[in-house]
Amino acid sequence: MDTRRPLRILATALGTAGLLISGCSSGSSTSAPSVPAALAPHYAQQLNWRDCGVGGFQCTTMKAPLDYAKPDGGDIELAVSRAKATGPGKRIGSLLVNPGGPGGSAVGYLQSYAAIGYPAQVRARYDMVAIDPRGVARSEPVECLTGPQMDAYTQVDQTPDDATEVNRLSEAYKEFASGCERRSGEILPHVSTVETARDMDMLRALLGDEKLHYVGASYGTYLGATYAEIFPARVGRLVLDGAMDPSLPAVDANRDQTAGFETAFKSFAADCVKKADCPLGTTSTADAATRLKQLFAGLDARPIPTGASRELTESLATTGVIAAMYDESAWPQLRDALTGAEKGDGSGLLSLADSYYEREPNGTYANLMFANTAVNCLDLPPAFADANAAAQALTGFEKASPVFGRTFTWAALNCAHWPVRPTGTPHRIEAKGADPILVVGTTRDPATPYKWAESLAGQLSSGTLLTYRGDGHTAYGRGSDCIDSAINTYLLDGTPPTKGKTCS
C-alpha cells in the first residue's frame, strides 16, 4: 500500500466496473431526527477502546444491525480505529476518513496515511477516526474466490474477439458471483452505501459528536453525500474529494470514467513522448496511443513471461497501465514497465497490476475487489443486462477512449449476473439544510472526471466547488499548497473557500 496516498479503485479493469452510485433517498428534513426506538440499544452501546498493536492508535468494534429494516434480527461487527488529537489547540471533535473503493480499508488508510500524513494542524484538533465499512477488510469481509481462482479471473480476456471469448468472460463473471454468494451470501444484501452511511451516524453518536466531520475521497465522496442526504442536520464539515455524481445511471458513469482514463493517458503520453527513452515513441500522443494498442494486441495473441508463474496477458497489462493513471508519480514506473514489456519482460506491468488488485507476493488477495463488486452491484442497477447490450455499447465507449474503451465496456457487464437485486437508483442529492459542504474536483482526474465534481457541487444545496487544475486522482495532500490551505481552513474553522476558487 502506498503509505502516502492509497489509490482506491472505482472500476477495475476486470469485473468491478459496475461503478458505485447508490440510490435510496431519505428525505430532506432540516431538523435532527431522533433515534428510532428499535435502534436505541445500538446507539447506547459502549465502545471499549484497546491498544491496536500499532503505535499511537486505539481500536474497538461496534455492533450495527445487519438489516436496518430488522434491527433485532442479528448484528454485524464493524472495526473502528482512532488516533487522539495531538494538540495544541481546542479539540474540535472526531474526523472520520474514508479512502474510497468501494472496498478500501478506512482503518488501513488511517493507520498508514491519514493519521500520520494529514496536516499537523488538523491532527492537532481532531481525533482521527476510521471505520471499515461493512463487508470490507476487518468488518466481516465479503469473500468470493481463492487466490488461485483470482489469478485465473484477472487473466480472463476482457476484450473478447468472438462469441467463444464473450461466453468465457460471461462465465467468469458468473463464477465470481457464485463464489461470493456461496462464501458471503448472508451479508451480500446488506453492504449498500446507505447502510454504511447509517453505520457512520451510529459511530458519530458513540464518539459523542453532535455532528459528523468527514473527509471522503473517491467513492468516499458518494458515501459522504449519502450521509448528508439521510442526516442533513447532522452534517458538520464534509470534504468530498474526487467527487462522484450520484445522478448518473451506471452505463453513463462507466462511459464518463472511460473518457477520464483516456484524458489521463493523454496527459501521461504528452509527458512521455518528450523523453528520448519513451517506450511509446517520441512524436505525438496519437502515436503513443497507437503503440500502446499494438502492445495490447500483441499480448492478446501471445502473453509474455514475467519471471513468475503467471504470464503477462493483455488483461493484466491493461490493468497495470490503468493503475499508473491514478497518480503522476507512478509515470516513471510505468515507462520502465512498458519498456520491459517491449523487450519481452512483463514483470513491471504485472507488479503494477498486482498492486491494483491488492495481491500479496504469496498469492493471496485483500478483499478489496470482492467488496467493490458487492457494493457496486447492490447500489445501482447493472450497466448492461447481457452481453448483447455490452456489444451494442462498444462504439460509444471506444469513442470515449480508443485505448481503454473495449476494456471498460466489457468490465461493465459484471453486475448482470449478481445474485442480489440492487436496492438503489441514480438520483440527485441535495441534502437541504446541511451545513456548507466542500466538493473538490481535479481537472484531469482519471477515475472521477471533473464534471462529476461540478455536478455534485451543483446538486448539494450547500455545496461549494474547489478546483485543482492538474493530474491524478483526488487533490488533498498531493502537493498543492493552495488546495491544502483551503481544505485545512474549512476543517479548522468551518469556512469554505470563495465560490469558483481554482488551484494548480
Side-chain angles (χ1 to χ4, degrees):
M1 179 178 287
D2 181 345
T3 56
R4 187 186 68 84
R5 173 165 294 275
L7 297 176
R8 297 274 62 91
I9 289 81
L10 301 173
T12 68
L14 174 65
T16 53
L19 230 83
L20 29 70
I21 304 130
S22 177
C24 191
S25 176
S26 65
S28 56
S29 170
T30 58
S31 60
S34 59
V35 175
L39 293 176
H42 290 90
Y43 272 80
Q45 66 185 291
Q46 298 294 315
L47 297 180
N48 298 311
W49 295 99
R50 64 187 184 279
D51 182 79
C52 288
V54 180
F57 293 93
Q58 295 176 311
C59 289
T60 190
T61 56
M62 181 188 88
K63 292 186 181 297
L66 176 64
D67 184 351
Y68 273 92
K70 301 175 181 178
D72 58 354
D75 291 337
I76 184 171
E77 193 167 82
L78 307 175
V80 182
S81 184
R82 73 177 177 187
K84 298 294 288 292
T86 60
K90 182 180 179 181
R91 178 182 174 276
I92 296 172
S94 304
L95 182 65
L96 267 67
V97 296
N98 183 283
S105 171
V107 170
Y109 175 73
L110 176 80
Q111 294 179 357
S112 66
Y113 173 69
I116 302 167
Y118 271 34
Q121 62 266 43
V122 173
R123 293 183 283 115
R125 300 188 60 196
Y126 283 101
D127 293 344
M128 301 293 294
V129 181
I131 177 172
D132 273 350
R134 48 179 58 209
V136 174
R138 300 163 179 84
S139 293
E140 301 195 19
V142 172
E143 298 294 345
C144 299
L145 301 178
T146 66
Q149 288 172 330
M150 271 297 288
D151 280 347
Y153 179 72
T154 59
Q155 295 178 71
V156 174
D157 189 346
Q158 56 195 322
T159 56
D161 301 313
D162 53 39
T164 298
E165 291 186 349
V166 169
N167 289 337
R168 188 176 300 135
L169 180 60
S170 294
E171 285 302 313
Y173 289 144
K174 291 177 183 177
E175 290 170 9
F176 184 97
S178 296
C180 299
E181 184 177 30
R182 186 167 55 253
R183 292 177 171 88
S184 301
E186 182 180 9
I187 194 177
L188 288 187
H190 302 294
V191 294
S192 71
T193 298
V194 168
E195 290 162 305
T196 294
R198 291 184 177 276
D199 297 338
M200 290 203 310
D201 188 64
M202 189 180 298
L203 178 58
R204 171 205 59 77
L206 297 177
L207 293 169
D209 291 334
E210 180 180 350
K211 294 191 174 186
L212 179 80
H213 306 303
Y214 173 82
V215 177
S218 195
Y219 160 81
T221 68
Y222 180 66
L223 178 58
T226 299
Y227 180 91
E229 180 181 38
I230 301 173
F231 306 105
R234 295 177 183 169
V235 167
R237 301 166 191 177
L238 262 62
V239 177
L240 308 180
D241 183 14
M244 295 301 309
D245 181 353
S247 70
L248 294 176
V251 66
D252 294 339
N254 277 276
R255 192 185 302 107
D256 282 354
Q257 194 179 59
T258 303
F261 277 93
E262 182 73 16
T263 296
F265 174 75
K266 287 179 178 177
S267 191
F268 161 74
D271 177 76
C272 184
V273 297
K274 296 175 184 177
K275 298 174 171 34
D277 61 346
C278 177
L280 299 178
T282 57
T283 55
S284 67
T285 57
D287 180 51
T290 298
R291 292 277 292 271
L292 183 61
K293 290 171 66 177
Q294 289 172 345
L295 173 64
F296 288 160
L299 292 169
D300 187 29
R302 180 174 297 180
I304 60 176
T306 63
S309 59
R310 293 169 297 151
E311 292 183 313
L312 182 72
T313 61
E314 179 194 16
S315 57
L316 286 171
T318 304
T319 303
V321 174
I322 287 171
M325 295 296 99
Y326 281 80
D327 192 330
E328 64 271 29
S329 68
W331 290 357
Q333 182 182 358
L334 177 58
R335 288 198 305 273
D336 290 344
L338 290 170
T339 297
E342 291 279 4
K343 297 178 179 178
D345 176 8
S347 60
L349 285 174
L350 180 65
S351 178
L352 282 167
D354 284 351
S355 69
Y356 190 86
Y357 286 124
E358 293 198 354
R359 183 189 190 274
E360 298 296 331
N362 65 4
T364 61
Y365 287 76
N367 97 303
L368 171 66
M369 294 300 149
F370 310 142
N372 186 284
T373 306
V375 176
N376 286 340
C377 295
L378 191 60
D379 272 357
L380 201 68
F384 303 124
D386 52 38
N388 287 335
Q392 292 172 9
L394 273 169
T395 299
F397 274 68
E398 288 186 297
K399 182 178 179 181
S401 173
V403 176
F404 303 115
R406 290 182 62 82
T407 292
F408 277 86
T409 305
W410 291 107
L413 180 62
N414 72 311
C415 287
H417 305 292
W418 198 244
V420 182
R421 292 178 63 86
T423 57
T425 56
H427 65 286
R428 291 172 57 84
I429 291 181
E430 297 181 4
K432 293 179 180 178
D435 284 353
I437 298 173
L438 181 57
V439 179
V440 187
T442 298
T443 55
R444 294 187 296 277
D445 191 315
T448 52
Y450 177 67
K451 68 178 183 178
W452 289 358
E454 292 180 302
S455 179
L456 181 59
Q459 292 172 43
L460 291 167
S461 62
S462 60
T464 295
L465 177 63
L466 174 64
T467 298
Y468 173 56
R469 295 196 179 279
D471 296 294
H473 184 37
T474 73
Y476 191 36
R478 291 176 56 82
S480 170
D481 291 339
C482 174
I483 288 288
D484 292 354
S485 176
I487 294 175
N488 293 343
T489 297
Y490 169 73
L491 288 174
L492 294 173
D493 65 24
T495 304
T498 57
K499 184 177 181 180
K501 185 174 179 61
T502 299
C503 300
S504 58

